[in-house]
Amino acid sequence: LEHESELNQKVLSKINKAINNADYSKNMENLQKEIELTKEEYKSIAAKLNKSKKTLIDLRNKKEDLEHEISEVNIFSKSMSQDIKKIVNHECPLCHNFLDDSIDTRIEKYSTIEDLLYLKAEMEAALNDLEHRITKEEEKYKAQLDVLEKYEDKLKINTDEVSDILKHKGYIEI
């Protein structure tokens, strides 16, 4: 009996060394609560990452749409410029007939080009704003990834400690 007691003490001593004399709860309910808190913290971090990722996707899609719209405005503007060249030569851009008085048609086309230039300037300003917002959101996302990485490192350490604690608890029950 004395030999078994001495053997158990040696096993406990060895276990304490293995878990680096970490503090832990001997109550399984408390360990379960700690695990639940850990899960909730992880869910919170993951939710923030998902929200940031969705925001980035949305911003990038808006940027792509805006770039496409600017491209369309450029194409339409070039078409208007070609029409003006035809009008200056007294040629109708639609039916290619000769125009006696082309001033009204020219004014209309110039006005359209001017409107397109204003529209393009507004779109480019919106594009710059989107690019700025994307950059800020990417920085936020990277920071959240760093938080996740640190958390996972901490979780790995805690998981090892919990495993050691459960082993220790099992040895105690033996």
Side-chain angles (χ1 to χ4, degrees):
L1 188 64
E2 192 173 304
H3 177 61
E4 284 181 28
S5 175
E6 188 177 312
L7 187 61
N8 284 339
Q9 289 298 324
K10 286 181 181 178
V11 169
L12 280 173
S13 172
K14 187 174 181 181
I15 291 169
N16 282 331
K17 280 184 184 178
I19 64 172
N20 298 321
N21 292 319
D23 292 332
Y24 60 91
S25 174
K26 292 182 182 179
N27 184 340
M28 286 302 284
E29 284 181 33
N30 289 339
L31 285 175
Q32 283 300 111
K33 286 179 185 176
E34 287 180 32
I35 289 172
E36 287 302 315
L37 288 174
T38 301
K39 284 181 186 178
E40 290 303 317
E41 188 176 353
Y42 185 80
K43 285 179 186 178
S44 172
I45 293 170
K48 288 177 184 175
L49 276 169
N50 281 334
K51 182 181 176 187
S52 187
K53 181 179 173 184
K54 286 179 184 179
T55 301
L56 275 171
I57 289 170
D58 183 50
L59 290 173
R60 287 183 178 137
N61 286 341
K62 286 179 181 178
K63 178 184 174 191
E64 186 70 30
D65 290 345
L66 199 52
E67 287 173 339
H68 178 72
E69 289 172 9
I70 290 172
S71 172
E72 291 294 320
V73 166
N74 285 335
I75 290 169
F76 190 63
S77 180
K78 285 179 185 177
S79 171
M80 288 289 117
S81 294
Q82 290 172 349
D83 286 352
I84 290 174
K85 287 179 185 176
K86 289 179 182 178
I87 293 169
V88 168
N89 292 327
H90 298 284
E91 180 184 338
C92 176
L94 300 174
C95 64
H96 306 290
N97 288 335
F98 181 78
L99 295 174
D100 288 329
D101 186 18
S102 62
I103 192 101
D104 290 336
T105 311
R106 262 194 293 171
I107 289 172
E108 180 185 326
K109 296 294 182 180
Y110 280 127
S111 177
T112 302
I113 287 178
E114 187 178 343
D115 291 344
L116 289 173
L117 289 173
Y118 284 125
L119 178 63
K120 182 180 172 187
E122 288 176 11
M123 294 169 99
E124 287 175 343
L127 183 63
N128 286 337
D129 180 55
L130 274 174
E131 288 172 346
H132 179 71
R133 289 172 52 198
I134 288 170
T135 301
K136 283 179 118 177
E137 194 64 34
E138 284 174 341
E139 290 170 2
K140 182 179 169 184
Y141 188 76
K142 286 176 186 175
Q144 290 170 344
L145 282 175
D146 289 341
V147 168
L148 178 64
E149 185 178 327
K150 289 175 186 174
Y151 178 78
E152 286 178 340
D153 288 343
K154 179 182 130 188
L155 186 63
K156 182 180 180 291
I157 291 167
N158 287 346
T159 303
D160 292 343
E161 287 178 2
V162 168
S163 295
D164 291 342
I165 290 167
L166 291 174
K167 287 178 191 175
H168 183 266
K169 185 140 179 94
Y171 285 132
I172 289 174
E173 289 177 6
I174 292 176

